Amino acid sequence: MADIPRPTDAELSILRVLWRRGPSTVKEVHDELARRAPTGYTTTLKQLQIMTEKGLVTRDESQRAHLYVARLPEEQTQTQLVGDLLDRAFEGSASRLVLRALSSRPATPGELAEIRELLDRLEGDTK
Amino acid sequence: MADIPRPTDAELSILRVLWRRGPSTVKEVHDELARRAPTGYTTTLKQLQIMTEKGLVTRDESQRAHLYVARLPEEQTQTQLVGDLLDRAFEGSASRLVLRALSSRPATPGELAEIRELLDRLEGDTK
DNA sequence: AAAGAAATACGAAACTCTTCGTTGACAATA
DNA sequence: TATTGTCAACGAAGAGTTTCGTATTTCTTT
């Protein structure tokens, strides 16, 4: 009961909105989503209801317009998704995944520096 | 017609076998898969047929037992999957993804060194 | 209190994914 | 040539995903 399933594509779109906006009504989420890809209001509502059942989001019903909140923080979900991809396509090799990530997207010099700092920190711990 | 869809979980399991073994019959793929998770022979067959329709694999029918081959090399599929995840969950930020990958899995010192080399190479080009 | 609006709940349809039982083709062999 | 075993093809069922139309509830305004 405590485990939360991997979000589907449509669910992830909704989670992104909730992470950015914080607690939001269906209308607010829908308006954001419909800006990029027009869709029906009830479609977003239904998604959020299913996500509530799955435990992906929680719902505050104290107001007339219910407020939805992502159950897990963005970082945790990202870590879950990366770990999942690692197992499914990279035989668990993190370095391979990093290799592909950096070769598939031109990272900015600033980003590369960030990663370098991260490496320094990690190697500092490994002693 | 030229674009190949993102492989599903079950499809990825099959692709992993094909990448490791090279051209294989249904029986060969099935035996590998069933070792970890017992499943019916026709299940694997049907998957391969669907994957052929989708263009994920190609089929050599010259022999009685058809030979299946992954259409894209492992590297290319990995790049596609990482790029996809980047867009869906990381707003395109490669450094964020790398951060999550490394913090979710304890990379070995050797792997960290590999990544460092990659960074050197990339920064060399960015001038 | 009635009418109108805004929001949620319900149900269903279309589609995909995954699995497997059954059928039919083919080949080796007795 | 009849039998047996191996393989691909087909169809379908069950679950999950995504979408949306309709109904119901609830609040607000008159």
Side-chain angles (χ1 to χ4, degrees):
Chain A
M1 196 219 259
D3 50 55
I4 295 179
R6 166 159 54 110
T8 65
D9 286 2
E11 288 167 350
L12 201 45
S13 299
I14 289 180
L15 286 176
R16 284 215 305 271
V17 174
L18 291 179
W19 285 323
R20 195 180 331 124
R21 298 194 79 265
S24 309
T25 65
V26 176
K27 184 178 192 323
E28 289 166 340
V29 172
H30 173 65
D31 286 351
E32 284 251 359
L33 289 182
R35 192 174 307 162
R36 295 201 165 267
T39 179
Y41 171 86
T42 52
T43 298
T44 303
L45 170 63
K46 185 64 170 182
Q47 288 284 4
L48 280 166
Q49 286 170 350
I50 292 173
M51 290 170 77
T52 302
E53 283 173 20
K54 289 184 179 177
L56 285 166
V57 301
T58 56
R59 179 170 49 188
D60 173 1
E61 309 183 1
S62 65
Q63 302 298 325
R64 163 126 159 78
H66 300 175
L67 282 180
Y68 288 86
V69 186
R71 181 117 182 282
L72 298 184
E74 182 171 25
E75 301 76 37
Q76 196 169 335
T77 301
Q78 288 177 337
T79 300
Q80 174 192 347
L81 288 172
V82 170
D84 187 74
L85 185 61
L86 225 33
D87 289 332
R88 287 189 300 122
F90 290 88
E91 317 280 351
S93 162
S95 65
R96 279 270 198 83
L97 183 143
V98 172
L99 173 72
R100 297 285 169 252
L102 294 183
S103 63
S104 88
R105 289 301 163 91
T108 68
E111 283 186 312
L112 294 181
E114 269 187 62
I115 295 172
R116 213 176 274 279
E117 274 183 41
L118 176 66
L119 287 180
D120 291 340
R121 218 177 318 143
L122 285 177
E123 287 193 340
D125 290 351
T126 313
K127 61 147 169 284
Chain B
M1 197 218 258
D3 50 53
I4 295 179
R6 167 160 53 112
T8 65
D9 286 3
E11 288 168 349
L12 202 45
S13 299
I14 289 180
L15 286 177
R16 285 213 306 271
V17 173
L18 291 179
W19 286 323
R20 196 180 329 127
R21 298 194 80 265
S24 310
T25 63
V26 176
K27 185 179 191 318
E28 288 167 341
V29 172
H30 173 65
D31 287 351
E32 284 251 2
L33 288 183
R35 192 174 307 161
R36 295 201 166 267
T39 179
Y41 170 87
T42 52
T43 298
T44 303
L45 171 63
K46 186 63 170 184
Q47 287 284 4
L48 280 166
Q49 285 170 350
I50 292 174
M51 290 170 78
T52 302
E53 282 174 21
K54 289 184 180 177
L56 285 167
V57 300
T58 57
R59 177 169 51 189
D60 175 1
E61 308 182 1
S62 65
Q63 302 298 323
R64 167 131 153 72
H66 300 174
L67 280 180
Y68 288 86
V69 186
R71 181 117 182 281
L72 298 183
E74 182 171 24
E75 302 75 37
Q76 196 168 333
T77 301
Q78 288 176 337
T79 300
Q80 174 193 346
L81 288 172
V82 170
D84 187 74
L85 185 60
L86 226 32
D87 289 332
R88 287 189 300 122
F90 290 88
E91 317 280 351
S93 162
S95 65
R96 279 271 198 83
L97 184 143
V98 172
L99 174 72
R100 296 287 168 252
L102 294 183
S103 63
S104 88
R105 290 300 162 92
T108 68
E111 283 187 312
L112 294 181
E114 268 186 63
I115 295 172
R116 215 177 271 277
E117 275 182 40
L118 176 65
L119 287 180
D120 292 340
R121 219 177 319 143
L122 285 178
E123 286 195 339
D125 290 351
T126 312
K127 58 142 174 289

